[in-house]
Amino acid sequence: MQEERKPETPGEELGAVAVFVVIGRQLKLLRERAGLSQREFGALVGYGPDQISAMERGVRTPRPEFLRKADEILGANGLFLAVIPQVEEAMAKARTRHPEWYRSYAELEAVSVELHFYANQGVPGLLQTEDYARAVFSRRRPLLDDAAIDKRVADRLARQQILEQWPLPMCSYVLEEAVLHRLIGGPRVHKEQLRRLLRIGSMRNVEIQVMPFEQEEHPNMDGPFNLLTPKKLPQVAYVEVQGYPRLIADPEEVRKIADRYGTMRALALNPSESLDLIKKLLGER
């Protein structure tokens, strides 16, 4: 008996693989016909080349706004507009694909009007390139099989659409400078990740700040955390240590974490200085 094949992408897991694969193939065909590279086309629609690549391969769900822009820019004559209802249906189901322990956080993240992150080990998931995310999951212990890695990477890329949904959520990041120096995935992957930080940090709803090595004062030595403010709900915090997640809703506990985060933002380099530092690491200044 032939062994049942596991789903490989978010679209397949949701029963929409045909839609996403076809969209991706048509997107690539029309982009190449227009004589545009992935980077050139991405610049026109406001996406990075890694995101365009993921959509062309069917591992990232194309948002309706993207499909409308692509239809116009590539002269698709309504081809991409026609599949928007199926895409919206798939997005509505997307929240259920996360593991049970993570689902509550993912559901809150998806409807948040404010998102704030502190990271001291690696680049946060919403900012990662596909290759960086793959390197992270490939080095997990215990080891994940190829299908699990593909699924986790695809899920992470799909979550990144939160940064582009309308109305735009207000997002901020405080990254320890060490995060910018750690060559996860090797030099090529590292450089592309830094370029993505520059692109995301230039979005009008996102601020990235770096906590420099030389900063002596530091109010938080307890590890990374996220702060979310879901629409019409109180702010919550999320922490995860050695695979043990905790969603914090107690107002006093959340207040203490938010107070630390506010102090950290005041001590870190401002957004402009932070982007200049990233450019310097890339050799662009």
Side-chain angles (χ1 to χ4, degrees), residues 180-231:
L180 305 181
H181 291 268
R182 185 164 289 119
L183 300 180
I184 292 178
R188 181 192 63 80
V189 172
H190 177 67
K191 283 192 173 183
E192 188 55 40
Q193 179 61 69
L194 292 181
R195 292 189 184 98
R196 175 166 169 77
L197 292 180
L198 288 179
R199 290 195 298 270
I200 299 299
S202 298
M203 295 172 62
R204 56 180 174 149
N205 62 315
V206 180
E207 291 186 340
I208 295 177
Q209 294 180 251
V210 176
M211 183 71 74
F213 284 133
E214 59 267 20
Q215 179 60 50
E216 295 180 3
E217 299 179 33
H218 204 307
N220 180 69
M221 302 301 289
D222 294 333
F225 58 78
N226 304 349
L227 286 165
L228 307 179
T229 305
K231 187 176 182 180

Tab-separated table of all heavy atoms in Angstrom, residues 180-231:
chain	number	residue	atom	x	y	z
A	180	LEU	N	22.510	40.939	15.184
A	180	LEU	CA	22.952	41.390	13.865
A	180	LEU	C	24.287	40.783	13.453
A	180	LEU	O	24.660	40.851	12.276
A	180	LEU	CB	23.070	42.918	13.848
A	180	LEU	CG	21.830	43.714	14.249
A	180	LEU	CD1	22.121	45.203	14.146
A	180	LEU	CD2	20.640	43.346	13.382
A	181	HIS	N	25.001	40.217	14.390
A	181	HIS	CA	26.331	39.682	14.100
A	181	HIS	C	26.339	38.158	13.963
A	181	HIS	O	27.303	37.601	13.442
A	181	HIS	CB	27.317	40.086	15.200
A	181	HIS	CG	27.635	41.541	15.222
A	181	HIS	ND1	28.704	42.101	14.536
A	181	HIS	CD2	27.014	42.579	15.844
A	181	HIS	CE1	28.729	43.400	14.739
A	181	HIS	NE2	27.712	43.719	15.533
A	182	ARG	N	25.288	37.511	14.440
A	182	ARG	CA	25.259	36.035	14.413
A	182	ARG	C	24.971	35.558	12.994
A	182	ARG	O	23.918	35.845	12.428
A	182	ARG	CB	24.214	35.520	15.393
A	182	ARG	CG	24.198	34.007	15.528
A	182	ARG	CD	23.435	33.573	16.772
A	182	ARG	NE	24.186	33.906	17.979
A	182	ARG	CZ	23.739	34.728	18.926
A	182	ARG	NH1	22.568	35.322	18.800
A	182	ARG	NH2	24.474	34.973	19.984
A	183	LEU	N	25.894	34.783	12.413
A	183	LEU	CA	25.790	34.381	11.002
A	183	LEU	C	24.938	33.117	10.832
A	183	LEU	O	25.400	32.104	10.280
A	183	LEU	CB	27.188	34.135	10.419
A	183	LEU	CG	28.155	35.320	10.437
A	183	LEU	CD1	29.494	34.926	9.828
A	183	LEU	CD2	27.566	36.498	9.673
A	184	ILE	N	23.711	33.173	11.267
A	184	ILE	CA	22.821	32.026	11.107
A	184	ILE	C	22.568	31.780	9.623
A	184	ILE	O	22.156	32.672	8.893
A	184	ILE	CB	21.490	32.267	11.851
A	184	ILE	CG1	21.745	32.284	13.365
A	184	ILE	CG2	20.443	31.210	11.483
A	184	ILE	CD1	20.523	32.556	14.204
A	185	GLY	N	22.870	30.553	9.179
A	185	GLY	CA	22.686	30.209	7.770
A	185	GLY	C	23.890	30.527	6.902
A	185	GLY	O	23.893	30.216	5.712
A	186	GLY	N	24.920	31.182	7.466
A	186	GLY	CA	26.105	31.512	6.689
A	186	GLY	C	26.094	32.950	6.185
A	186	GLY	O	25.087	33.664	6.287
A	187	PRO	N	27.208	33.416	5.626
A	187	PRO	CA	27.349	34.824	5.198
A	187	PRO	C	26.285	35.283	4.208
A	187	PRO	O	25.754	36.397	4.325
A	187	PRO	CB	28.749	34.857	4.572
A	187	PRO	CG	29.491	33.755	5.248
A	187	PRO	CD	28.481	32.669	5.470
A	188	ARG	N	25.969	34.469	3.187
A	188	ARG	CA	24.992	34.901	2.181
A	188	ARG	C	23.616	35.103	2.813
A	188	ARG	O	22.952	36.122	2.585
A	188	ARG	CB	24.901	33.870	1.049
A	188	ARG	CG	23.906	34.270	-0.060
A	188	ARG	CD	23.630	33.127	-1.003
A	188	ARG	NE	23.003	31.993	-0.339
A	188	ARG	CZ	21.696	31.944	-0.061
A	188	ARG	NH1	20.910	32.958	-0.364
A	188	ARG	NH2	21.200	30.879	0.534
A	189	VAL	N	23.172	34.111	3.590
A	189	VAL	CA	21.869	34.203	4.249
A	189	VAL	C	21.851	35.372	5.227
A	189	VAL	O	20.857	36.105	5.325
A	189	VAL	CB	21.547	32.876	4.971
A	189	VAL	CG1	20.281	33.014	5.819
A	189	VAL	CG2	21.388	31.743	3.967
A	190	HIS	N	22.952	35.560	5.926
A	190	HIS	CA	23.056	36.650	6.900
A	190	HIS	C	22.901	38.015	6.225
A	190	HIS	O	22.150	38.875	6.699
A	190	HIS	CB	24.410	36.562	7.609
A	190	HIS	CG	24.669	37.665	8.575
A	190	HIS	ND1	23.956	37.821	9.740
A	190	HIS	CD2	25.561	38.697	8.548
A	190	HIS	CE1	24.395	38.873	10.398
A	190	HIS	NE2	25.354	39.435	9.697
A	191	LYS	N	23.578	38.201	5.105
A	191	LYS	CA	23.494	39.495	4.408
A	191	LYS	C	22.085	39.757	3.885
A	191	LYS	O	21.576	40.884	3.978
A	191	LYS	CB	24.504	39.527	3.256
A	191	LYS	CG	25.929	39.756	3.710
A	191	LYS	CD	26.844	40.065	2.542
A	191	LYS	CE	28.227	40.448	3.035
A	191	LYS	NZ	29.128	40.834	1.928
A	192	GLU	N	21.457	38.726	3.337
A	192	GLU	CA	20.086	38.913	2.845
A	192	GLU	C	19.134	39.210	3.997
A	192	GLU	O	18.180	39.983	3.854
A	192	GLU	CB	19.622	37.667	2.086
A	192	GLU	CG	18.292	37.826	1.383
A	192	GLU	CD	18.252	39.015	0.424
A	192	GLU	OE1	19.264	39.254	-0.282
A	192	GLU	OE2	17.220	39.709	0.379
A	193	GLN	N	19.405	38.614	5.162
A	193	GLN	CA	18.579	38.895	6.333
A	193	GLN	C	18.747	40.343	6.774
A	193	GLN	O	17.763	41.018	7.108
A	193	GLN	CB	18.947	37.956	7.478
A	193	GLN	CG	18.152	38.189	8.753
A	193	GLN	CD	16.667	37.997	8.547
A	193	GLN	OE1	16.194	36.891	8.322
A	193	GLN	NE2	15.895	39.085	8.633
A	194	LEU	N	19.970	40.854	6.755
A	194	LEU	CA	20.183	42.257	7.108
A	194	LEU	C	19.477	43.180	6.117
A	194	LEU	O	18.902	44.205	6.508
A	194	LEU	CB	21.681	42.571	7.144
A	194	LEU	CG	22.498	41.913	8.260
A	194	LEU	CD1	23.964	42.354	8.174
A	194	LEU	CD2	21.929	42.243	9.636
A	195	ARG	N	19.500	42.821	4.845
A	195	ARG	CA	18.803	43.640	3.840
A	195	ARG	C	17.297	43.634	4.096
A	195	ARG	O	16.623	44.644	3.911
A	195	ARG	CB	19.110	43.125	2.435
A	195	ARG	CG	20.554	43.338	1.999
A	195	ARG	CD	20.747	43.012	0.529
A	195	ARG	NE	22.157	43.125	0.153
A	195	ARG	CZ	22.993	42.106	0.063
A	195	ARG	NH1	22.550	40.877	0.312
A	195	ARG	NH2	24.247	42.291	-0.266
A	196	ARG	N	16.779	42.499	4.524
A	196	ARG	CA	15.344	42.447	4.837
A	196	ARG	C	15.019	43.326	6.044
A	196	ARG	O	13.983	43.998	6.070
A	196	ARG	CB	14.897	41.007	5.093
A	196	ARG	CG	13.432	40.904	5.534
A	196	ARG	CD	12.881	39.508	5.458
A	196	ARG	NE	11.597	39.418	6.124
A	196	ARG	CZ	10.439	39.838	5.631
A	196	ARG	NH1	10.407	40.405	4.424
A	196	ARG	NH2	9.317	39.715	6.297
A	197	LEU	N	15.900	43.350	7.025
A	197	LEU	CA	15.679	44.242	8.171
A	197	LEU	C	15.614	45.692	7.717
A	197	LEU	O	14.791	46.472	8.220
A	197	LEU	CB	16.792	44.069	9.198
A	197	LEU	CG	16.858	42.734	9.948
A	197	LEU	CD1	18.018	42.728	10.929
A	197	LEU	CD2	15.546	42.453	10.677
A	198	LEU	N	16.444	46.059	6.762
A	198	LEU	CA	16.397	47.423	6.221
A	198	LEU	C	15.068	47.688	5.530
A	198	LEU	O	14.480	48.766	5.687
A	198	LEU	CB	17.546	47.641	5.242
A	198	LEU	CG	18.955	47.758	5.826
A	198	LEU	CD1	19.971	47.939	4.709
A	198	LEU	CD2	19.041	48.921	6.814
A	199	ARG	N	14.600	46.714	4.743
A	199	ARG	CA	13.323	46.901	4.028
A	199	ARG	C	12.160	47.030	5.006
A	199	ARG	O	11.342	47.956	4.899
A	199	ARG	CB	13.069	45.726	3.070
A	199	ARG	CG	13.985	45.685	1.868
A	199	ARG	CD	13.442	44.737	0.812
A	199	ARG	NE	13.347	43.359	1.282
A	199	ARG	CZ	14.324	42.455	1.179
A	199	ARG	NH1	15.479	42.798	0.645
A	199	ARG	NH2	14.154	41.225	1.612
A	200	ILE	N	12.095	46.111	5.970
A	200	ILE	CA	10.983	46.145	6.921
A	200	ILE	C	11.088	47.384	7.813
A	200	ILE	O	10.089	48.030	8.134
A	200	ILE	CB	10.967	44.876	7.784
A	200	ILE	CG1	10.790	43.631	6.908
A	200	ILE	CG2	9.835	44.943	8.813
A	200	ILE	CD1	9.509	43.590	6.129
A	201	GLY	N	12.314	47.722	8.210
A	201	GLY	CA	12.509	48.884	9.066
A	201	GLY	C	12.167	50.198	8.393
A	201	GLY	O	11.999	51.218	9.064
A	202	SER	N	12.048	50.184	7.065
A	202	SER	CA	11.678	51.385	6.312
A	202	SER	C	10.168	51.514	6.135
A	202	SER	O	9.688	52.536	5.622
A	202	SER	CB	12.355	51.371	4.939
A	202	SER	OG	13.761	51.381	5.079
A	203	MET	N	9.414	50.480	6.548
A	203	MET	CA	7.950	50.560	6.459
A	203	MET	C	7.435	51.588	7.457
A	203	MET	O	7.979	51.736	8.553
A	203	MET	CB	7.327	49.182	6.720
A	203	MET	CG	7.678	48.135	5.681
A	203	MET	SD	7.115	46.465	6.118
A	203	MET	CE	5.321	46.695	6.172
A	204	ARG	N	6.380	52.289	7.100
A	204	ARG	CA	5.915	53.393	7.956
A	204	ARG	C	5.279	52.919	9.254
A	204	ARG	O	5.131	53.709	10.196
A	204	ARG	CB	4.934	54.278	7.197
A	204	ARG	CG	3.730	53.561	6.635
A	204	ARG	CD	2.827	54.530	5.900
A	204	ARG	NE	1.723	53.871	5.224
A	204	ARG	CZ	0.538	54.414	5.028
A	204	ARG	NH1	0.319	55.644	5.479
A	204	ARG	NH2	-0.407	53.777	4.392
A	205	ASN	N	4.914	51.634	9.339
A	205	ASN	CA	4.291	51.129	10.563
A	205	ASN	C	5.247	50.289	11.410
A	205	ASN	O	4.827	49.666	12.391
A	205	ASN	CB	3.060	50.288	10.232
A	205	ASN	CG	3.382	49.051	9.409
A	205	ASN	OD1	4.146	49.126	8.447
A	205	ASN	ND2	2.806	47.911	9.769
A	206	VAL	N	6.534	50.258	11.038
A	206	VAL	CA	7.500	49.420	11.749
A	206	VAL	C	8.702	50.246	12.183
A	206	VAL	O	9.243	51.031	11.408
A	206	VAL	CB	7.984	48.245	10.866
A	206	VAL	CG1	8.993	47.386	11.628
A	206	VAL	CG2	6.813	47.389	10.402
A	207	GLU	N	9.118	50.074	13.438
A	207	GLU	CA	10.335	50.700	13.945
A	207	GLU	C	11.245	49.611	14.509
A	207	GLU	O	10.812	48.810	15.338
A	207	GLU	CB	10.026	51.731	15.032
A	207	GLU	CG	9.312	52.970	14.508
A	207	GLU	CD	9.150	54.034	15.573
A	207	GLU	OE1	9.227	53.681	16.783
A	207	GLU	OE2	8.946	55.207	15.219
A	208	ILE	N	12.479	49.577	14.015
A	208	ILE	CA	13.475	48.629	14.509
A	208	ILE	C	14.554	49.404	15.235
A	208	ILE	O	15.126	50.356	14.690
A	208	ILE	CB	14.085	47.813	13.349
A	208	ILE	CG1	13.007	46.929	12.711
A	208	ILE	CG2	15.252	46.964	13.845
A	208	ILE	CD1	13.503	46.144	11.506
A	209	GLN	N	14.825	49.004	16.476
A	209	GLN	CA	15.872	49.644	17.269
A	209	GLN	C	16.881	48.594	17.724
A	209	GLN	O	16.499	47.454	18.029
A	209	GLN	CB	15.280	50.351	18.497
A	209	GLN	CG	14.389	51.526	18.144
A	209	GLN	CD	13.821	52.199	19.380
A	209	GLN	OE1	12.629	52.088	19.660
A	209	GLN	NE2	14.670	52.897	20.138
A	210	VAL	N	18.133	48.985	17.770
A	210	VAL	CA	19.204	48.080	18.176
A	210	VAL	C	19.732	48.504	19.547
A	210	VAL	O	20.004	49.687	19.775
A	210	VAL	CB	20.355	48.084	17.147
A	210	VAL	CG1	21.510	47.204	17.637
A	210	VAL	CG2	19.850	47.604	15.792
A	211	MET	N	19.855	47.523	20.432
A	211	MET	CA	20.479	47.767	21.728
A	211	MET	C	21.973	47.522	21.561
A	211	MET	O	22.400	46.379	21.392
A	211	MET	CB	19.907	46.830	22.798
A	211	MET	CG	20.457	47.083	24.191
A	211	MET	SD	19.876	48.634	24.933
A	211	MET	CE	18.170	48.171	25.345
A	212	PRO	N	22.801	48.583	21.566
A	212	PRO	CA	24.223	48.420	21.245
A	212	PRO	C	24.997	47.688	22.333
A	212	PRO	O	24.622	47.697	23.511
A	212	PRO	CB	24.705	49.865	21.086
A	212	PRO	CG	23.774	50.662	21.933
A	212	PRO	CD	22.437	49.978	21.844
A	213	PHE	N	26.099	47.065	21.919
A	213	PHE	CA	26.953	46.343	22.859
A	213	PHE	C	27.385	47.228	24.023
A	213	PHE	O	27.458	46.786	25.164
A	213	PHE	CB	28.214	45.839	22.143
A	213	PHE	CG	27.985	44.638	21.272
A	213	PHE	CD1	28.496	44.604	19.986
A	213	PHE	CD2	27.285	43.534	21.742
A	213	PHE	CE1	28.320	43.492	19.182
A	213	PHE	CE2	27.099	42.411	20.944
A	213	PHE	CZ	27.612	42.390	19.655
A	214	GLU	N	27.699	48.486	23.729
A	214	GLU	CA	28.295	49.355	24.749
A	214	GLU	C	27.281	49.899	25.754
A	214	GLU	O	27.660	50.599	26.704
A	214	GLU	CB	29.033	50.527	24.092
A	214	GLU	CG	28.169	51.422	23.213
A	214	GLU	CD	28.187	50.994	21.752
A	214	GLU	OE1	28.533	49.825	21.480
A	214	GLU	OE2	27.853	51.841	20.895
A	215	GLN	N	25.987	49.625	25.573
A	215	GLN	CA	24.991	50.112	26.530
A	215	GLN	C	25.127	49.359	27.853
A	215	GLN	O	24.904	48.142	27.911
A	215	GLN	CB	23.580	49.931	25.958
A	215	GLN	CG	22.473	50.378	26.894
A	215	GLN	CD	22.597	51.848	27.256
A	215	GLN	OE1	22.734	52.693	26.398
A	215	GLN	NE2	22.561	52.148	28.556
A	216	GLU	N	25.497	50.060	28.908
A	216	GLU	CA	25.756	49.407	30.194
A	216	GLU	C	24.471	49.061	30.932
A	216	GLU	O	24.351	47.985	31.524
A	216	GLU	CB	26.622	50.313	31.066
A	216	GLU	CG	28.022	50.549	30.498
A	216	GLU	CD	28.846	51.440	31.398
A	216	GLU	OE1	28.350	51.823	32.475
A	216	GLU	OE2	29.992	51.755	31.014
A	217	GLU	N	23.516	49.954	30.919
A	217	GLU	CA	22.267	49.715	31.663
A	217	GLU	C	21.348	48.814	30.853
A	217	GLU	O	21.305	48.889	29.633
A	217	GLU	CB	21.564	51.047	31.944
A	217	GLU	CG	22.394	52.011	32.783
A	217	GLU	CD	21.650	53.314	33.006
A	217	GLU	OE1	20.412	53.271	33.103
A	217	GLU	OE2	22.306	54.357	33.066
A	218	HIS	N	20.621	47.960	31.570
A	218	HIS	CA	19.698	47.063	30.880
A	218	HIS	C	18.643	46.565	31.869
A	218	HIS	O	18.977	45.915	32.856
A	218	HIS	CB	20.458	45.871	30.292
A	218	HIS	CG	19.750	45.228	29.139
A	218	HIS	ND1	18.442	44.796	29.211
A	218	HIS	CD2	20.166	44.941	27.882
A	218	HIS	CE1	18.085	44.274	28.045
A	218	HIS	NE2	19.114	44.352	27.226
A	219	PRO	N	17.366	46.876	31.632
A	219	PRO	CA	16.331	46.502	32.584
A	219	PRO	C	15.806	45.074	32.434
A	219	PRO	O	14.969	44.636	33.217
A	219	PRO	CB	15.211	47.506	32.291
A	219	PRO	CG	15.347	47.742	30.824
A	219	PRO	CD	16.832	47.695	30.530
A	220	ASN	N	16.266	44.348	31.413
A	220	ASN	CA	15.701	43.017	31.182
A	220	ASN	C	16.802	42.009	30.865
A	220	ASN	O	17.386	42.020	29.795
A	220	ASN	CB	14.717	43.052	30.011
A	220	ASN	CG	14.105	41.673	29.752
A	220	ASN	OD1	13.323	41.183	30.549
A	220	ASN	ND2	14.472	41.060	28.643
A	221	MET	N	17.063	41.116	31.797
A	221	MET	CA	18.030	40.047	31.588
A	221	MET	C	17.331	38.682	31.629
A	221	MET	O	17.978	37.652	31.774
A	221	MET	CB	19.117	40.101	32.663
A	221	MET	CG	19.880	41.425	32.711
A	221	MET	SD	20.714	41.832	31.157
A	221	MET	CE	22.027	40.629	31.175
A	222	ASP	N	16.021	38.700	31.498
A	222	ASP	CA	15.236	37.467	31.640
A	222	ASP	C	14.896	36.806	30.312
A	222	ASP	O	14.183	35.814	30.280
A	222	ASP	CB	13.919	37.758	32.386
A	222	ASP	CG	14.170	38.180	33.821
A	222	ASP	OD1	15.209	37.768	34.369
A	222	ASP	OD2	13.338	38.903	34.380
A	223	GLY	N	15.357	37.339	29.197
A	223	GLY	CA	15.085	36.701	27.915
A	223	GLY	C	14.096	37.469	27.066
A	223	GLY	O	13.535	38.496	27.473
A	224	PRO	N	13.859	36.968	25.844
A	224	PRO	CA	12.989	37.659	24.886
A	224	PRO	C	11.519	37.611	25.287
A	224	PRO	O	11.105	36.759	26.078
A	224	PRO	CB	13.231	36.894	23.586
A	224	PRO	CG	13.623	35.526	24.023
A	224	PRO	CD	14.408	35.716	25.288
A	225	PHE	N	10.730	38.529	24.710
A	225	PHE	CA	9.286	38.538	24.959
A	225	PHE	C	8.592	39.301	23.840
A	225	PHE	O	9.220	40.052	23.088
A	225	PHE	CB	8.955	39.174	26.318
A	225	PHE	CG	9.445	40.581	26.481
A	225	PHE	CD1	8.779	41.654	25.908
A	225	PHE	CD2	10.590	40.840	27.219
A	225	PHE	CE1	9.231	42.960	26.056
A	225	PHE	CE2	11.058	42.145	27.373
A	225	PHE	CZ	10.377	43.198	26.787
A	226	ASN	N	7.292	39.088	23.739
A	226	ASN	CA	6.437	39.810	22.804
A	226	ASN	C	5.317	40.486	23.591
A	226	ASN	O	4.822	39.926	24.575
A	226	ASN	CB	5.791	38.869	21.778
A	226	ASN	CG	6.804	38.052	21.005
A	226	ASN	OD1	7.996	38.309	21.068
A	226	ASN	ND2	6.330	37.053	20.282
A	227	LEU	N	4.918	41.658	23.121
A	227	LEU	CA	3.769	42.365	23.682
A	227	LEU	C	2.756	42.589	22.565
A	227	LEU	O	3.097	43.157	21.522
A	227	LEU	CB	4.183	43.707	24.286
A	227	LEU	CG	4.930	43.674	25.621
A	227	LEU	CD1	5.584	45.021	25.885
A	227	LEU	CD2	3.974	43.314	26.758
A	228	LEU	N	1.522	42.154	22.773
A	228	LEU	CA	0.475	42.292	21.758
A	228	LEU	C	-0.697	43.070	22.319
A	228	LEU	O	-1.073	42.903	23.475
A	228	LEU	CB	-0.037	40.916	21.316
A	228	LEU	CG	0.967	39.864	20.840
A	228	LEU	CD1	0.228	38.580	20.485
A	228	LEU	CD2	1.754	40.381	19.656
A	229	THR	N	-1.285	43.903	21.461
A	229	THR	CA	-2.534	44.571	21.821
A	229	THR	C	-3.578	44.213	20.776
A	229	THR	O	-3.668	44.849	19.716
A	229	THR	CB	-2.363	46.105	21.870
A	229	THR	OG1	-1.292	46.433	22.759
A	229	THR	CG2	-3.651	46.767	22.357
A	230	PRO	N	-4.364	43.162	21.027
A	230	PRO	CA	-5.408	42.781	20.077
A	230	PRO	C	-6.489	43.854	20.009
A	230	PRO	O	-6.709	44.593	20.969
A	230	PRO	CB	-5.976	41.476	20.670
A	230	PRO	CG	-4.911	41.009	21.632
A	230	PRO	CD	-4.269	42.247	22.164
A	231	LYS	N	-7.142	43.940	18.879
A	231	LYS	CA	-8.179	44.957	18.690
A	231	LYS	C	-9.270	44.817	19.743
A	231	LYS	O	-9.838	43.748	19.943
A	231	LYS	CB	-8.786	44.814	17.289
A	231	LYS	CG	-9.764	45.921	16.930
A	231	LYS	CD	-10.252	45.768	15.505
A	231	LYS	CE	-11.200	46.895	15.114
A	231	LYS	NZ	-11.672	46.748	13.711
